[in-house]
Amino acid sequence: LDERIIDQMCLRVLRKKLTWAMLTDTKPSKQIINSKTHKQLALRSALESIVLLKNEKALPLTAASEILVVGNLLDEKNIGDNGSSRVSPKKISTLKAAIKKQFPAARFLASNDPTLISQEAAQAKYVIVIAGFLPEQEGENLTSNRKYQPNAAEPVNKGGDRKDLHLPADQQALLTAATLANRNTIAVIISGSACYLDPWLADLRAVVWAGYY
């Protein structure tokens, strides 16, 4: 890499820092924390970050659609990294609560049991699979290693990248069970970075990358 390119990149960062230092004479008031304006900005950022990766005439669903939503991440307050990007909002909504608000008739199964998922998925018109990662499974997991996996056979990552791009084994089993049982399966991926969706991609009617919530 040409050293001049590195110099240019450093200059951009330093220029922006100096600009903000000159424009900001006082610290913002604490009253703006969790303010209505900031909540609206956070919601807009989240909505505009969601990516529709695939849609074979499955989305959008209507409030009256017969939907089964499955996955152990349903009830998790899963807002991502426990490292440098960690935030502490006063209120966190689970995916189950958010989906229930939009789809009152939806059924929920917060489980990764393949047999149970297969049985329930076969009876639904649409299945939404919430699959992905928890903070201790990726990212700068600096504070929760011992709490979540105190007796782990292998050392739990304390920061940095995952070892590979595969979903955790239980999440893979969840996707396999749902797609085999129901041809109208939609996947919502909770992840801070890329992950493999083979071999399920061809069998999924729609795929939504939602990041963390």
Side-chain angles (χ1 to χ4, degrees):
L1 184 64
D2 194 317
E3 189 173 339
R4 289 173 297 180
I5 296 176
I6 299 175
D7 290 341
Q8 290 175 356
M9 296 168 70
C10 292
L11 279 172
R12 290 194 202 106
V13 174
L14 293 173
R15 190 178 295 117
K16 184 60 67 175
K17 286 186 175 183
L18 289 171
T19 299
W20 280 108
M22 289 185 287
L23 292 176
T24 308
D25 296 327
T26 58
K27 291 183 178 180
S29 169
K30 290 185 178 180
Q31 293 181 348
I32 69 170
I33 298 174
N34 205 43
S35 65
K36 183 178 180 180
T37 300
H38 281 194
K39 288 179 181 178
Q40 290 174 338
L41 178 60
L43 177 60
R44 178 185 171 187
S45 299
L47 291 173
E48 294 185 3
S49 298
I50 295 171
V51 181
L52 181 61
L53 296 174
K54 178 181 179 180
N55 188 18
E56 293 182 348
K57 299 180 180 180
L59 299 174
L61 298 171
T62 68
S65 298
E66 183 189 339
I67 304 168
L68 172 67
V69 190
V70 301
N72 67 312
L73 298 182
L74 269 174
D75 286 323
E76 291 283 347
K77 294 182 177 179
N78 193 12
I79 57 174
D81 199 353
N82 281 332
S84 60
S85 63
R86 186 175 186 174
V87 293
S88 302
K90 290 185 177 181
K91 183 180 179 181
I92 303 172
S93 177
T94 64
L95 274 178
K96 181 178 179 179
I99 294 172
K100 192 171 184 177
K101 186 176 180 180
Q102 296 296 322
F103 302 96
R107 294 189 299 120
F108 297 91
L109 182 57
S111 170
N112 286 354
D113 183 332
T115 302
L116 184 57
I117 296 298
S118 296
Q119 293 172 351
E120 294 296 324
Q123 300 175 39
K125 184 169 184 180
Y126 290 97
V127 177
I128 299 178
V129 177
I130 310 298
F133 299 88
L134 290 166
E136 63 270 21
Q137 294 170 324
E138 73 169 356
E140 295 180 49
N141 179 31
L142 301 179
T143 61
S144 64
N145 291 300
R146 295 184 182 277
K147 176 181 176 182
Y148 286 101
Q149 300 188 43
N151 300 313
E154 296 183 7
V156 182
N157 291 337
K158 291 189 176 181
D161 299 327
R162 292 182 256 123
K163 292 182 178 179
D164 55 50
L165 297 180
H166 295 290
L167 288 166
D170 63 330
Q171 304 297 294
Q172 295 184 41
L174 172 62
L175 281 165
T176 298
T179 52
L180 287 176
N182 193 306
R183 298 185 66 181
N184 292 323
T185 298
I186 299 163
V188 177
I189 305 300
I190 307 302
S191 174
S193 58
C195 59
Y196 285 128
L197 284 181
D198 291 333
W200 315 281
L201 187 58
D203 297 321
L204 290 166
R205 287 285 304 280
V207 179
V208 177
W209 187 88
Y212 283 101
Y213 49 90

